[in-house]
Amino acid sequence: MAVERNLSQSVPDVLGASQQMHAGELSSEALVARCLENIKTHNPTLNAFGDVYAEQALEDAHQCDLERQQGVLRGPLHGIPFGIKDLFSTAGLRTTKGSLTSLDNVPDSDAPIIARLKQAGAILIGKTATTEFGWTGSSYSRVFGHGRNPWDPRLTSGGSSSGSAISVAARMVPAALGSDGGGSVRIPGAFCGIFALKASLGRIPTWPWSATEMLSHAGPMTRTVRDSALLFDLLSGPDARDHQALPAKTESWLERCDAPLAPLRVRYSPTLFNTPVDDRIAACVEQAVEHIAHALPVTLTARSLAWSTPFDTFDTLWSGGRGVAYGAALKQQLDKLDPGFAALIERAQHLDLADYLAAQKQRAAFANQVHALFDEVDLLITPTLPILPFAADRHVPETQPAGESGVEWARWTPFTWPFNLSGNPAATLPCGFTPEGLPVGLQVVGRRYAEADVLQFCAALEALMPWDQHCPALKPSRAD
């Protein structure tokens, strides 16, 4: 496995950066400068970032260093730079939402997740790329340029949190923020070889309102499980602006990750809905499952699940929610939209309230099946995705037949979005590499509100199969 050692050493993960700063081995200003240098070097090829706040980030870092010298810390993330998905509202900073229709949009207020990140002492270094209004699982973008995979820039990074995954995998930042309405942190997490957890709905409050609020989650994207646990500890908790927000947690998930793993009942499903899985992915996942069965305190049952696909349900809810809402708001600007998103809006015009309510009923029936499984097991593991990355300029793989749904991307991501329908926490973590050197993701799903179980299990597996020493062997972008 090719590894770019200098790059991986230049930007530590979140906990590593915090420890080095506390020990006086690293300043915030030096860390921000390293991040900016990596962004300058690799962003022209990978298209991870849109707006980068270089001058302001360096000023903030300098101030953080002065405060540290005076014994003043803003919080646990004091002076650590982050990338921010360009769907999150940032007060006074442009939020394009990946759309040509929103290039001049400057919010007045921070989203709750942004406010909490700042309160913890973090520095916003820039906005990361997203697909238009986060509508697809690819990295196709006319605003940022198509997101490219750090392991092979010819290929997609996945989306819609494309830039956040790229920026973390390519060591442009220690961590970044993403959102997930159908797999949007797990898809690029798997393709780019990083960790990402979609928590239970409402664990981290979201605002402003989303057209698919019953499906959409906010959360961190990180290199390690423990970094993710730390960030969930800091970013979770209720907010009056999100009526779905959950009560405050009663335990530290970072501490839980460091505790011994108790015996668990684990179900391994090699596929879902009889979806063919690429042999290279299946081989990596099977090897990881063998490690789990022999080295961790689990009772593991390997058997596929006899669930029928809820694709039509997801299509109706996603197309109805986004298509109707954005169609009404953008009806005079359809010519500026990604043609795929415009087609989704057109499809939504043929849905009525009866269709939408029927889909909600179908969703409940599917969710009941999922929740019933967790009466028998503690965790479910599957491949995160059944395919490897395809060309960066496409929404769907070259081999996928044309379809008429508003969510054709959901056909190649059939293992992620079902757990947005059910609301279960679901994480992806790297579990190996293909012969071509592409990372493979393992998905770990828990019962509702049991993110701590998912994180603790993933931390144990991370210790068993460490991946953070692997880093894509990036080449500097050539000047035009």
Side-chain angles (χ1 to χ4, degrees), residues 59-70:
E59 289 181 9
D60 290 345
H62 180 70
Q63 183 62 34
C64 283
D65 288 337
L66 291 177
E67 292 172 6
R68 184 181 291 275
Q69 293 170 9
Q70 297 164 0

Side-chain angles (χ1 to χ4, degrees), residues 66-358:
L66 291 177
E67 292 172 6
R68 184 181 291 275
Q69 293 170 9
Q70 297 164 0
V72 177
L73 295 181
R74 301 178 183 180
L77 304 179
H78 185 91
I80 299 176
F82 279 73
I84 308 299
K85 186 178 182 179
D86 204 10
L87 283 184
F88 292 116
S89 292
T90 44
L93 298 173
R94 187 171 71 143
T95 301
T96 72
K97 302 181 180 181
S99 179
L100 296 174
T101 67
S102 302
L103 296 182
D104 298 322
N105 174 48
V106 180
D108 295 326
S109 302
D110 284 329
I113 194 171
I114 302 299
R116 290 177 183 180
L117 197 67
K118 290 180 178 179
Q119 289 166 4
I123 294 172
L124 275 56
I125 204 169
K127 285 294 191 73
T128 57
T130 175
T131 58
E132 190 157 36
F133 299 109
W135 82 274
T136 178
S138 72
S139 57
Y140 185 98
S141 175
R142 297 185 301 167
V143 172
F144 305 100
H146 309 322
R148 297 184 178 275
N149 196 309
W151 299 91
D152 185 342
R154 297 170 299 177
L155 305 178
T156 182
S157 65
S160 64
S161 303
S162 51
S164 290
I166 297 166
S167 67
V168 174
R171 302 334 193 231
M172 296 180 185
V173 285
L177 299 183
S179 59
D180 189 316
S184 287
V185 300
R186 287 163 291 154
I187 297 164
F191 277 171
C192 293
I194 66 169
F195 182 79
L197 167 67
K198 177 200 76 68
S200 299
L201 184 64
R203 182 63 70 187
I204 294 177
T206 57
W207 178 88
W209 174 85
S210 165
T212 48
E213 66 165 358
M214 82 296 288
L215 301 173
S216 297
H217 308 63
M221 303 178 74
T222 61
R223 282 162 46 185
T224 70
V225 179
R226 295 178 75 251
D227 273 3
S228 182
L230 168 67
L231 293 173
F232 271 105
D233 280 349
L234 298 173
L235 302 174
S236 298
D239 184 285
R241 292 169 290 180
D242 182 358
H243 71 98
Q244 299 182 112
L246 297 177
K249 301 190 295 88
T250 58
E251 66 173 331
S252 164
W253 288 352
L254 179 58
E255 292 179 5
R256 180 72 176 276
C257 284
D258 293 332
L261 187 65
L264 294 169
R265 300 166 298 169
V266 177
R267 175 75 170 265
Y268 165 51
S269 185
T271 185
L272 294 177
F273 319 123
N274 296 315
T275 305
V277 176
D278 185 286
D279 289 343
R280 292 161 291 182
I281 293 174
C284 282
V285 172
E286 290 283 352
Q287 186 175 35
V289 169
E290 289 183 13
H291 278 297
I292 291 167
H294 290 99
L296 296 180
V298 302
T299 301
L300 192 144
T301 303
R303 189 169 72 252
S304 293
L305 293 159
W307 294 342
S308 297
T309 178
F311 179 89
D312 291 340
T313 301
F314 182 76
D315 181 15
T316 299
L317 294 176
W318 189 266
S319 298
R322 299 206 168 217
V324 172
Y326 288 117
L330 303 173
K331 59 184 177 181
Q332 304 302 325
Q333 303 182 72
L334 294 182
D335 59 326
K336 293 184 179 181
L337 297 177
D338 178 326
F341 189 50
L344 179 147
I345 289 174
E346 172 60 26
R347 169 176 163 72
Q349 309 316 305
H350 303 288
L351 298 173
D352 59 24
L353 182 59
D355 296 324
Y356 197 81
L357 293 177

Side-chain angles (χ1 to χ4, degrees), residues 390-474:
F390 47 89
D393 61 352
R394 296 184 60 88
H395 286 302
V396 300
E398 296 84 346
T399 56
Q400 181 170 308
E404 298 181 355
S405 82
V407 290
E408 287 302 299
W409 61 269
R411 297 193 188 278
W412 58 267
T413 61
F415 305 158
T416 59
W417 51 263
F419 301 107
N420 293 77
L421 290 176
S422 67
N424 294 72
T428 184
L429 71 164
C431 68
F433 291 86
T434 69
E436 298 85 357
L438 295 172
V440 172
L442 178 75
Q443 182 171 233
V444 180
V445 185
R447 62 172 52 87
R448 277 188 300 179
Y449 316 126
E451 291 94 327
D453 290 346
V454 173
L455 285 165
Q456 186 183 26
F457 175 83
C458 288
L461 185 55
E462 179 182 44
L464 183 65
M465 300 172 56
W467 65 76
D468 192 42
Q469 74 270 28
H470 297 296
C471 182
L474 297 168

